Structures are given as structure tokens and as C-alpha cells.
Amino acid sequence: MARLPYVSMTLKNPAHPAKSARIRFFVDSGTPISVAPGQVLTKIGLRPSGTQKFDLVDGSEIERPVGQAVFVYRGQERVSPIIFGEEGDSTVLGKATLASFGLALNPLRGELVKLPA
């Protein structure tokens, strides 16, 4: 049986790279944009660049602030969009961030694999 796909990554403020936070994400390749706790993002000095509406599985719609963060994974850094999550929101690594690293989720093994170039 596959283990749940969690991965830890460091998020950095693109304008002030010394400001960072280590976050444990649930990997969900069906989620378009990664979600992290808004309080953590604000603490490292990230500011939203706007808001965006999202449709949830149950058919409801939410609106959340969005911005950009530097994601660090295994020594590589990539800039990717990030949703400023609110209390009760899950912390999720989405497909935009996975794609920026050239990674995909192997759902049978619950692990990240490198995509062929």
C-alpha cells in the first residue's frame, strides 16, 4: 500500500531570500496552485499580488489571496504561484509547483518522480 505523499520544502521570499520557512506539504497533482498557511507566508514577508476564485470539489467557490514564492527542493529553487491559505485550509503542493521542478506524483508509490526532459 502506498504511503501518503507528503514532502517538505523551504519557501523563500523572492525579494528577501534570507526570509524563509520550512513547510510540510501534502502532494496533490490535481490541485492547480500550491497552498500554504497565509500567516507563515506573511511572516516571511510575502505579500499577495491579488486574489483568485477557486471551485471546490463540493461545487462551492472560495476566494483567496495569491502571490509568488521561491520553493526550494533538493538544492534547486523555483518560483511558483502560492495561495495564502486561511485557517482550516490544507497545506498542499500543487501541479504548477511540481511542473516547475519537472516532477510528478507516482500515486501507486506515493512518491515524487522526475519527469523525462
Side-chain angles (χ1 to χ4, degrees):
M1 182 167 177
R3 56 189 156 84
L4 289 176
Y6 284 92
V7 65
S8 291
M9 289 191 175
T10 297
L11 291 184
K12 291 183 179 180
N13 181 326
H16 304 283
K19 294 184 176 185
S20 65
R22 188 92 172 143
I23 298 177
R24 186 171 184 250
F25 291 93
F26 177 76
V27 181
D28 182 358
S29 57
T31 298
I33 301 175
S34 297
V35 182
Q39 290 179 338
V40 173
L41 299 177
T42 300
K43 186 175 181 180
I44 65 170
L46 292 176
R47 299 289 175 253
S49 56
T51 61
Q52 189 170 336
K53 291 183 180 181
F54 300 94
D55 295 323
L56 302 180
V57 176
D58 67 3
S60 63
E61 183 180 82
I62 60 169
E63 187 170 348
R64 294 288 185 270
V66 294
Q68 298 284 321
V70 175
F71 287 75
V72 183
Y73 182 67
R74 294 188 175 172
Q76 297 193 15
E77 296 185 3
R78 301 288 186 273
V79 176
S80 186
I82 189 84
I83 297 170
F84 286 65
E86 296 179 359
E87 189 173 332
D89 291 349
S90 297
T91 301
V92 180
L93 189 70
K95 70 177 156 188
T97 306
L98 290 170
S100 72
F101 282 97
L103 297 172
L105 174 64
N106 176 334
L108 299 176
R109 293 186 174 227
E111 63 188 16
L112 295 179
V113 294
K114 194 80 172 153
L115 293 171

